[in-house]
Amino acid sequence: MMLETILSKCDARYERPDCEQCVDCSYGGCCPRDCEKCLDYIHDPSHAPDGAPERKYDCTHMADVYTCKYSCRYTSEIMYALERCISLHDLSDFKVLSFGCGPCTDLFAIDALRENKTLIYDRIEYRGVDYSEDVWHWVHGDIKSMQTLKSRFKFFYKDACELIHEIAEGTWTPNLIVFQYVFSDMQKHSSRADIYDFINTFAEYFNSKVAPNTYIVLNDVNLGRDYGGGREYFDLLLNKLENVIYNKGHFHNDHGKGYYASGYPYGKEFPENANRFDLSPWRSYSPFDTCASAQMIIKKVVKE
């Protein structure tokens, strides 16, 4: 399985018995000698040392730890979503456009569902969009090394708010489009004007060029903009699309605290939230054993 192969490679690269500072650590003298702590500084800047610069996703070592810690959860979330995309199950030729691809957990989900016979595709072309080329250098290299004549993987390292205009002008069209924790990232790093421009341009492209039976899977943290997420953009995008049907919901968050324990209301609560993989090989990375995202699945239908 692709997921297990990539996690094994990430784990092998990261293993350092003496836990010394990486010689090329991008955090310099503030390096905590533990990449999981660096990830915590990103997710909660208040945990960073006093006077330390803002921590960013800009380190290949951190990418290996991120992949080992989060990939099983995010892959599981997409698996649940794709199981509800019934029209894809008998598709022989997959064409996937992935925004915010990162370690490509949507690709891992597609591969896992083919292995368990939910999907039966013969060919797949995967195009991943992520602005962090240096961060994902090794992980994406590992993925590309697994290409075959019938499985082609290509990456575009550019801000999605910029690249969307090139995509809209092109002729290639996918039959599955995934937004994997994209809008929460845009909310942190892009202007409101750029996000609205992205949504408008994407909607024009989708409405005019994308064929019926194409799915959009939106998967992101179950938080609104006021809490550091971007879930409202799901509905804003939906309202721009023509000839579509949709459903939305959220997973129960077993690891939440207080008012967030069950997940904010967003559509229905999904009946299952279990991680779908054996986490025992990756226990040292403290992976989550449940899913916790909000999702919207959109399908383009034939115009009546």
Side-chain angles (χ1 to χ4, degrees):
M1 189 182 298
M2 182 178 288
L3 172 63
E4 294 173 351
T5 299
I6 297 301
L7 291 183
S8 295
K9 290 178 179 292
C10 289
D11 180 55
R13 271 194 299 267
Y14 183 67
E15 187 176 5
R16 291 180 182 79
D18 53 0
C19 200
E20 294 182 354
Q21 177 177 337
C22 307
V23 294
D24 55 347
C25 176
S26 60
Y27 212 33
C30 296
C31 174
R33 300 187 177 185
D34 181 345
C35 286
E36 192 168 349
K37 288 185 178 179
C38 271
L39 288 174
D40 181 50
Y41 297 164
I42 292 173
H43 300 152
D44 192 338
S46 67
H47 292 176
D50 292 340
E54 178 186 2
R55 194 65 179 107
K56 300 178 179 179
Y57 284 116
D58 59 2
C59 174
T60 56
H61 309 295
M62 194 194 305
D64 286 332
V65 174
Y66 180 99
T67 302
C68 291
K69 181 177 179 64
Y70 290 104
S71 287
C72 290
R73 165 181 267 193
Y74 295 164
T75 299
S76 297
E77 291 172 352
I78 296 296
M79 288 179 71
Y80 282 115
L82 294 180
E83 285 173 340
R84 295 192 288 274
C85 298
I86 303 300
S87 297
L88 296 179
H89 293 184
D90 296 326
L91 198 67
S92 62
D93 191 1
F94 250 76
K95 294 182 179 179
V96 185
L97 174 59
S98 177
F99 289 103
C101 63
C104 304
T105 50
D106 48 359
L107 179 60
F108 303 157
I110 292 167
D111 175 73
L113 289 172
R114 186 172 186 257
E115 186 161 303
N116 73 17
K117 310 301 182 183
T118 300
L119 302 177
I120 61 169
Y121 64 89
D122 182 54
R123 296 176 180 272
I124 182 169
E125 181 179 359
Y126 179 91
R127 297 190 177 189
V129 177
D130 199 293
Y131 56 79
S132 302
E133 180 175 8
D134 293 340
V135 174
W136 300 112
H137 172 76
W138 294 110
V139 176
H140 289 176
D142 292 337
I143 291 170
K144 287 191 286 189
S145 73
M146 301 175 73
Q147 290 187 118
T148 67
L149 290 176
K150 294 186 176 183
S151 302
R152 309 301 297 174
F153 314 128
K154 189 173 183 179
F155 297 98
F156 299 83
Y157 300 107
K158 197 169 185 178
D159 189 320
C161 291
E162 299 176 10
L163 187 63
I164 188 59
H165 296 281
E166 297 177 30
I167 293 172
E169 293 173 1
T171 58
W172 184 82
T173 55
N175 44 39
L176 173 63
I177 304 168
V178 181
F179 289 79
Q180 182 73 313
Y181 289 85
V182 170
F183 285 121
S184 58
D185 187 67
M186 285 185 176
Q187 174 67 12
K188 294 180 179 70
H189 303 295
S190 302
S191 70
R192 187 71 60 86
D194 284 344
I195 298 172
Y196 286 169
D197 179 66
F198 172 88
I199 289 173
N200 289 332
T201 305
F202 175 84
E204 292 173 4
Y205 163 73
F206 185 86
N207 292 336
S208 63
K209 292 189 176 182
V210 172
N213 292 324
T214 295
Y215 282 89
I216 300 173
V217 172
L218 298 155
N219 187 62
D220 213 322
V221 60
N222 187 18
L223 292 171
R225 292 180 301 201
D226 291 342
Y227 295 93
R231 194 188 52 203
E232 294 93 337
Y233 293 120
F234 287 15
D235 295 277
L236 182 61
L237 173 60
L238 174 67
N239 290 335
K240 300 283 185 179
L241 303 180
E242 301 170 356
N243 306 313
V244 296
I245 56 175
Y246 74 96
N247 60 66
K248 61 183 180 181
H250 70 280
F251 294 98
H252 183 94
N253 184 6
D254 292 343
H255 300 280
K257 297 179 180 180
Y259 56 84
Y260 186 44
S262 64
Y264 288 111
Y266 188 72
K268 63 184 178 181
E269 181 169 292
F270 302 134
E272 295 181 69
N273 72 340
N275 195 304
R276 307 282 285 268
F277 299 95
D278 176 13
L279 302 178
S280 57
W282 328 114
R283 283 297 179 191
S284 62
Y285 298 95
S286 305
F288 294 101
D289 56 5
T290 59
C291 303
S293 63
Q295 294 184 344
M296 179 181 285
I297 298 173
I298 303 170
K299 178 184 179 182
K300 188 167 186 176
V301 296
V302 177
K303 184 177 181 180
E304 294 183 357

